[in-house]
Amino acid sequence: MNKHRFLEALRKKLHKLPQEEIEAALDYYAEYFDEAGQENEQAVLKRLGSPSAVASTILADYAVKHMDNDPASAKKGISAIWFILLAILASPIALPIAVSVIALLLAVLVCGAAFILAFFSVMISLIAGGLASIAAGFGVIFSHVPTALLFIGTGMAMAGIGLLLFHPLLVVTKAISRSIAKWFKKQFDQLTNRQKGGRKP
């Protein structure tokens, strides 16, 4: 392994990132090699570890940075979780450990998704029930006005509550996805640091 092969391997491992992020990472490590000098190339390679280890750290760091750049977006947290998963898959950690970590990640994701789905189901049920009640109210308006007004009023209240839950649903989705991503980033960092014996590149 030499500098050129290391950088090429790193480029391949980072292919899921935006091009500007890949170039920034490659420029950083090329400069790192250049500052150390050609005579210290092997020492730098030993200090950095494999391209997979470096790529996994870059992917995990990008996940959290990508999420923090737009904290108002729930989509950023979900993207961050995806990049954490890519980081785990790119990492040269032992296969049984990687499988365990991914299984744990999937279990946490399923729990989070179940909570969000339940919240979403309540919101949709309220809106649908409200619209049905409004329709029923208009259906009996000519035969019994008080009953029609009750149905229409109740339906509007239910639909209104359902619509009001839409923003909290986005907030909950963002909070859950961000928390999962940050927690797994922390676990991933601890795991890779243990593998390196606590050394930082």
Side-chain angles (χ1 to χ4, degrees), residues 26 48 54 121-122 139 168:
L26 293 174
L48 291 175
V54 174
S121 297
V122 169

Side-chain angles (χ1 to χ4, degrees), residues 4-195:
H4 177 72
R5 288 183 178 176
F6 179 91
L7 294 175
E8 283 302 308
L10 184 59
R11 180 186 292 277
K12 290 177 183 176
K13 295 286 183 182
L14 298 177
H15 72 280
K16 294 286 187 182
L17 290 179
Q19 191 60 35
E20 62 271 16
E21 293 286 341
I22 296 173
E23 295 304 327
L26 293 174
D27 288 346
Y28 172 82
Y29 283 100
E31 187 177 335
Y32 189 80
F33 276 102
D34 292 341
E35 287 179 359
Q38 190 171 358
E39 67 277 6
N40 295 315
E41 188 174 285
Q42 291 304 312
V44 171
L45 287 168
K46 185 176 180 181
R47 190 178 311 124
L48 291 175
S50 69
S52 293
V54 174
S56 63
T57 301
I58 292 170
L59 287 166
D61 288 339
Y62 175 76
V64 175
K65 184 181 80 169
H66 179 65
M67 180 174 56
D68 288 340
N69 282 344
D70 188 3
S73 172
K75 186 179 177 182
K76 296 291 183 182
I78 296 168
S79 297
I81 293 170
W82 168 245
F83 277 107
I84 295 285
L85 183 58
L86 287 177
I88 294 168
L89 292 173
S91 177
I93 59 178
L95 183 61
I97 297 174
V99 170
S100 299
V101 171
I102 291 170
L104 180 58
L105 173 59
L106 291 176
V108 173
L109 285 176
V110 167
C111 290
F115 182 83
I116 292 167
L117 182 61
F119 202 122
F120 181 78
S121 297
V122 169
M123 182 188 76
I124 295 299
S125 297
L126 283 169
I127 294 172
L131 293 175
S133 181
I134 292 169
F138 279 110
V140 298
I141 196 164
F142 295 111
S143 58
H144 199 264
V145 174
T147 302
L149 292 176
L150 176 65
F151 280 6
I152 291 170
T154 303
M156 290 177 70
M158 289 174 63
I161 292 170
L163 290 172
L164 285 173
L165 288 176
F166 180 73
H167 183 262
L169 175 64
L170 291 180
V171 172
V172 167
T173 302
K174 181 195 74 172
I176 289 175
S177 59
R178 282 172 59 87
S179 298
I180 291 173
K182 287 192 172 184
W183 187 79
F184 270 93
K185 170 67 166 60
K186 182 179 177 182
Q187 302 306 310
F188 175 79
D189 286 344
Q190 290 176 353
L191 180 62
T192 52
N193 285 338
R194 280 199 300 270
Q195 291 242 325

